[in-house]
Amino acid sequence: MRSYAKSVELYQQTRESLAGGVSSNVRYASTPVPLFFERGEGARLHDVDGNVHIDYVLGNGPAILGHAPKPVIEAVARSLADGQVYAAQHPRETELAQRLCRLLPGVEVVRFASSGTEAVLMALRLARAFTGRQKILKFEGHYHGWSDQAYISARPALNEAGPADAPVPVAGSPGMPKSVLEDVVVAGWNDLAAVAAVLERHRGEIAGVLMEPVMVNGGAALPAEGYLAGVCDLCRSHGALFICDEVITGFRVGLRGAQARFGVTADLAVYAKAVAAGFPLALVGGRRDVMDTLVDRGVMHGGTYNGNVQSMAAAIAALDELERDGGAVYRALEQRGTRLMDGLRVLASHHGVPMRVEGLPAIFQTFFTDGPVPRNYREAAACDRDRALAFHAALQEEGVRVTQAARWFLSAAHDDGVIDETLAAADRALAAVR
Ligand SMILES: Cc1ncc(COP(=O)(O)O)c(C=O)c1O
């Protein structure tokens, strides 16, 4: 058995001065306690007890180039002597904005922020200001940050969530004002008729339709054939903005994100995480006429750290890597991720474990179910969570770190040798949960 004695001791100490011993509630999700790490390098994390973990959590997505990617940390190191925050503009900011506008589908103008949560808030404000409407349609199981306005029905208890064909919005946390629920309509994802029905029922009221274009947070699920294009068309015909939250999928499922992969173009899109390969950066990008409301109509958006020197330097260096050799990083992610997904499927069948592997090569989830692959939050929630937790624990014992929901993020540092090691570890872990 691996020992986590030092993590346990540090956790007890830390709880005295840091609320709950963590800086994000998501980080409670670890056993035997939230673990303490001292170093990350490439595909691996080293914890304070000397255990080495092949890391498929990757900070919940940002570390697309692996931990401590040399070109990025060197660029950031070079930028440190230039200062950090000017409360003013600078050439690195211009360069990054220009590159993103050239690269991202439908993005004519961008605005920088520091976290996905605040960038989503900016997108919602822009949609409301542009359309003059109040309501937002969002989907069950989709997470868009922890704000009052967006942390609704992200992971609702099914006994509070109403019927599948008419879900009720559920506040995700104590302390959220009840009034926010009045401005949010919730639907089940991957069901075009449900979107059409909401837009019809609330004709002229919906400012924007917000979604993760590939559902990741509520249980990885791919959009059904034609679903994203159908939502896009419905938005156009109802005068609502289509807002893609590409915080996870952006720069991960391809250089141009899920929209390019599935052939749709949103009116507004939110990016964060992988864009700066581990440094804090988020952005909203989209149609010039919508983004221009920041200027023409004085839609307020601020932030002390927006466009800070190090985040810009990190993202420029990350883009250099991600764009190199016509996207060689993405070809490798696709090939190795596919090998890992297929390998896990073969192992599960060999062990007679009813495990499904669903998602895309750079971000997927292992579900335990005898049924078909989940297409939405409720189907994902019906899978065997206890077995997923047992698999997570067994993998951790074998030196492989996945999220507690058994989501797997891949990085460019997960080379073929790492995939081989992982499959050997998964073989033993599956034997343990059989
Ligand atoms: C799809 C999605 N949107 C928004 C967010 C919030 O981003 P942040 O944690 O940077 O505030 C997350 C975070 O995991 C996310 O997965």
Side-chain angles (χ1 to χ4, degrees):
M1 285 286 280
R2 290 185 151 208
S3 164
Y4 300 102
K6 283 192 185 156
S7 268
V8 171
E9 190 188 324
L10 263 174
Y11 181 60
Q12 303 307 347
Q13 274 176 35
T14 306
R15 278 168 51 165
E16 297 298 312
S17 47
L18 184 65
V22 294
S23 291
S24 159
N25 280 23
V26 176
R27 298 180 196 165
Y28 287 130
S30 183
T31 49
V33 293
L35 297 184
F36 286 67
F37 294 92
E38 42 189 34
R39 199 160 57 82
E41 195 181 350
R44 292 173 212 267
L45 279 179
H46 300 252
D47 72 26
V48 292
D49 286 281
N51 301 306
V52 183
H53 306 242
I54 299 179
D55 187 23
Y56 289 94
V57 179
L58 298 175
N60 281 322
I64 186 82
L65 296 171
H67 293 286
K70 238 187 165 153
V72 177
I73 56 178
E74 283 174 1
V76 172
R78 283 194 301 276
S79 77
L80 287 170
D82 296 337
Q84 283 68 54
V85 280
Y86 306 144
Q89 295 51 251
H90 56 104
R92 285 186 176 99
E93 193 180 27
T94 310
E95 179 186 342
L96 183 60
Q98 287 173 340
R99 283 179 73 169
L100 293 167
C101 290
R102 274 201 300 272
L103 195 64
L104 296 172
V107 170
E108 296 175 306
V109 186
V110 296
R111 194 43 104 72
F112 294 120
S114 295
S115 71
T117 296
E118 36 165 343
V120 166
L121 287 175
M122 185 192 342
L124 298 182
R125 181 174 285 178
L126 284 167
R128 289 185 167 120
F130 184 78
T131 60
R133 301 174 179 179
Q134 278 299 299
K135 291 191 195 296
I136 300 293
L137 168 59
K138 82 168 291 285
F139 297 89
E140 237 175 24
H142 290 219
Y143 177 68
H144 305 289
W146 59 278
S147 71
D148 287 346
Q149 289 185 46
Y151 193 44
I152 294 170
S153 297
R155 215 177 141 188
L158 291 183
N159 60 354
E160 293 176 27
D165 57 356
V168 294
V170 180
S173 168
M176 287 172 57
K178 289 201 173 64
S179 56
V180 292
L181 301 178
E182 287 162 22
D183 288 331
V184 172
V185 184
V186 172
W189 191 62
N190 244 344
D191 176 357
L192 199 53
V195 176
V198 168
L199 287 169
E200 198 49 53
R201 190 162 72 247
H202 295 279
R203 187 166 268 281
E205 293 177 347
I206 304 284
V209 176
L210 171 67
M211 70 164 68
E212 296 179 48
V214 173
M215 184 172 83
V216 176
N217 288 297
L222 297 178
E225 181 78 34
Y227 175 70
L228 296 179
V231 172
C232 196
D233 289 346
L234 281 168
C235 285
R236 303 272 140 86
S237 62
H238 282 266
L241 298 188
F242 181 33
I243 309 169
C244 272
D245 179 345
E246 295 237 34
V247 166
I248 284 186
T249 50
F251 302 93
R252 171 162 288 284
V253 304
L255 182 60
R256 296 176 177 80
Q259 290 171 76
R261 191 159 181 140
F262 293 99
V264 290
T265 305
D267 299 297
L268 288 178
V270 181
Y271 297 85
K273 299 205 189 235
V275 64
F279 286 82
L281 174 64
L283 62 111
V284 176
R287 274 166 51 183
R288 185 176 294 278
D289 56 347
V290 180
M291 296 298 292
D292 274 355
T293 57
L294 289 164
V295 184
D296 309 340
R297 310 224 333 248
V299 173
M300 174 54 184
H301 166 245
T304 302
Y305 297 103
N306 297 351
N308 72 80
V309 176
Q310 278 67 51
S311 292
M312 300 294 102
I316 290 168
L319 275 186
D320 287 344
E321 295 310 303
L322 297 174
E323 288 190 276
R324 195 178 297 289
D325 300 332
V329 161
Y330 294 101
R331 289 195 294 279
L333 279 172
E334 219 45 40
Q335 184 253 320
R336 293 177 195 146
T338 303
R339 193 158 82 78
L340 181 56
M341 291 173 84
D342 288 346
L344 288 168
R345 288 184 185 114
V346 169
L347 288 171
S349 129
H350 169 76
H351 286 286
V353 174
M355 185 177 86
R356 296 281 192 169
V357 186
E358 181 64 358
L360 293 169
I363 168 64
F364 62 85
Q365 183 160 345
T366 37
F367 292 99
F368 292 86
T369 175
D370 286 318
V373 290
R375 290 160 307 166
N376 56 38
Y377 170 70
R378 293 194 189 210
E379 290 179 9
C383 294
D384 186 343
R385 173 138 175 91
D386 290 343
R387 214 156 189 195
L389 287 173
F391 186 46
H392 166 270
L395 282 171
Q396 180 171 300
E397 189 55 30
E398 295 295 339
V400 172
R401 180 175 185 246
V402 300
T403 76
Q404 252 203 352
R407 265 191 287 284
W408 304 59
F409 290 92
L410 241 75
S411 86
H414 290 70
D415 59 19
D416 281 317
V418 171
I419 303 295
D420 289 338
E421 262 184 73
T422 305
L423 287 171
D427 192 6
R428 295 187 293 273
L430 281 164
V433 299
R434 184 164 41 201

